[in-house]
Amino acid sequence: MKRPRNVQLKSVGVKLFVILFSTIVLLSTVLGITSYYAAKGIITDEVAAASSQSIVQAADKLDFLFAEYEALSRQFAVDSALKADMELVNNPAAGTVAKVAAEDRIRRKLDSVKGSDDRLIAIRLVSRSLVDAQSYKSAGVSAVRDGEDIQSRIKKIDEGKGQPVWFPVLDKGFFGMYSESSMTMGRLLRNIQNPAAEYYMLIEIKGSALTDVLSNLHIGQTGEIRILDPQGSIVYGADNALLGQASYIQAAAEPLDGQEQSFTANDEQGESQLVVYQPLATGGWTLLGYAPVSDFTKSADKLLYITLAVVLAAALIALLIGYILVRLIGRPLGKLARLMEEGEQGNLQVRTNFKGQDEIGRLGHSFNKMMEQISLLAGQSSRSAAEVLATSEQLVRASGATSNHAKEVAEATGEIAQGAASLAAEAEASNRNVELMGAKMQEVAGINSIMDSTAERVLTVSDQGAGLMRTLVKQSESTVQMMNLIQENSAMLQESTHLIRSILSPMIAVNKQTNILALNASIEAVRAGAAGKGFIVIADEIRGLANQSNQSIQSVSTITEEISRHIENTVKVVSEAGPQFREQITSVRESSIIFESVRTEMEAFLELIGQSSASVAELGRFQRQFGESMASVTSVVQQTSASTQEVASMSSQQFIVSEELVALSAKLEELAENLKQSLVSFEG
């Protein structure tokens, strides 16, 4: 019964198709997605680099702006005339006119500075007592106020000990009296000789001044620019409502030289933002800008559609290539596998019709040659087995005939022995009763006649037995020759199996070399980089084909090993039967010698019968010499009895040998039938 076909999903062609299809689609998908994310990364990096440069430039502008006002505050701190006027107005001994003149010079100086810079809302010299009447300010600004917030800010100026202290942009100014936002720089103008003449200098800058400086700085389409203090609070932002609040996106620590000053972070809504920053030299603040990453990567989203199109195209190409591979490789290998399964079941007439000159075509041609050689060897073995079977059948028939003849000879010799016993009794009776000699002479004449005919039959049977023994010897020798021929054919079969193994060995070596070449191709393709990716796929496919071919070769090798084991079993059985055939030939030759001895004895017996007949005739003519003749008859009867006993003994031995010959012939027939059954599974 033929084996059921394997499930189609397990075929080599389907596996190659699935591997190729999956590989191409996976590579296309991975390449497209990798390109997409690589493009997003490149765009983000480039935008981050450009934005970092922009924010560095904007930070430099802010530092330059802040440095101007710090320099202005230093000019006030070192201005000796201003210092003298402030000492004068705080000198109780000074006259009123002098104080008014000094106050007027102070106000005009403040007005001139404020008037020369339209970015300023006001410039003040606030008394340490925070009394508005004792403080000075530029024209057009509100009076000084005193409150907890203001006190805390003034305290920070005191703690600055004469160094500039910057305050964040406040929605209504330092004193909360303006209609627009402003940023303030405070500084204590110290006077060691006259502490009463110390003032807080406040330079209030419009919030729009920072907006003007940062107007050319754009991060994306919807990005924001903020200035954060060291605690992460918002110092400046587009929305004044956020001033003073903690920023959700914080700037990183102080970057080292050469490090990028950009990173990505999520905002309050969880949207990814590209963040760039630059620390300012003023107040430990940090200029920070961020914008959604999607603003920069919209163009890269087109790669997703391109990737989808490429994956679809790659899938179609993979389907086409997979179909071609199934037709070129899967179908031939599947057909060859089915033919090998039929050959495994004993059908040696299966042949391939591959016309290609590639490895599959060469494998098909080798398969055809192998099946032809196996069929030829199986046919020769079958014919030899048939000849052995026919010879054994002839030997069985001849052995049966010999056994029957031996049985007849034994019966005849038994009759002869009985006749001899009767003759001896008659001879003794003749000695006792001479008067009855006439009648007994007639009986002796009849007995002699019977003995003569019986001896002739025995002689004829002996001649037939000798002829059959000679024929049996010749047939046994022919059987031995047949057994030798079977051994020679089995040796030829073993040589053929060795030849098949030698044919398979180069094929296995070719597969190994193919694997090595595929591995080298993969290595070279990896070295070639992106240009060698296609060769990597081809090398993997070649290596997979080599592995499949190796499995097929292993299957053929397994079948060859099974045939070799059957041949070895046949050789073993024939080798065991050889000694039995030689023993049979020896027994047959001994039987032939016994038949020749029987013939010689029977010829002597015929001579004795002739002498007995002559004696009976002489007895009839010489009745007066009956006493002397009776002695002669008694002697002849004794000799005849001894010869008859010997013939009976030899007939018994011949019968035993014939039975053994029949048993050996049956065993030979059984061996021949076993040989025929072992070869009947191969349809030669």
Side-chain angles (χ1 to χ4, degrees), residues 468-478 585 588-589:
L468 290 174
M469 287 297 105
R470 288 192 294 271
T471 302
L472 184 58
V473 170
K474 292 180 181 180
Q475 290 177 351
S476 298
E477 291 176 351
S478 176
I585 292 173
V588 170
R589 287 176 178 171

Side-chain angles (χ1 to χ4, degrees), residues 433-444 619 623 626:
N433 193 2
V434 178
E435 291 81 10
L436 297 176
M437 183 173 55
K440 297 299 180 182
M441 289 294 293
Q442 293 297 325
E443 292 179 1
V444 170
L619 183 61
Q623 291 183 357
F626 182 71

Side-chain angles (χ1 to χ4, degrees), residues 299-356:
S299 59
D301 292 339
K302 297 179 180 178
L303 287 175
L304 289 176
Y305 301 104
I306 297 174
T307 299
L308 180 60
V310 170
V311 169
L312 292 176
L316 294 176
I317 295 173
L319 287 172
L320 179 61
I321 296 175
Y323 177 74
I324 295 173
L325 284 178
V326 169
R327 289 187 59 86
L328 294 180
I329 298 174
R331 288 186 179 178
L333 289 179
K335 183 176 181 181
L336 182 61
R338 291 193 297 272
L339 293 178
M340 293 183 72
E341 289 174 355
E342 292 183 13
E344 181 183 358
Q345 299 299 322
N347 184 9
L348 301 180
Q349 298 298 324
V350 294
R351 299 291 186 273
T352 63
N353 56 356
F354 300 159
K355 298 181 181 180

Side-chain angles (χ1 to χ4, degrees), residues 451-470:
M451 290 175 63
D452 184 69
S453 61
T454 301
E456 288 178 355
R457 287 198 304 271
V458 170
L459 185 61
T460 302
V461 170
S462 298
D463 292 335
Q464 291 177 355
L468 290 174
M469 287 297 105
R470 288 192 294 271

Side-chain angles (χ1 to χ4, degrees), residues 49 157 159 577:
I157 298 175
E159 292 173 351

Side-chain angles (χ1 to χ4, degrees), residues 281-308:
T282 304
W285 294 348
T286 300
L287 178 62
L288 180 142
Y290 64 89
V293 175
S294 58
D295 288 354
F296 314 115
T297 58
K298 289 182 179 178
S299 59
D301 292 339
K302 297 179 180 178
L303 287 175
L304 289 176
Y305 301 104
I306 297 174
T307 299
L308 180 60

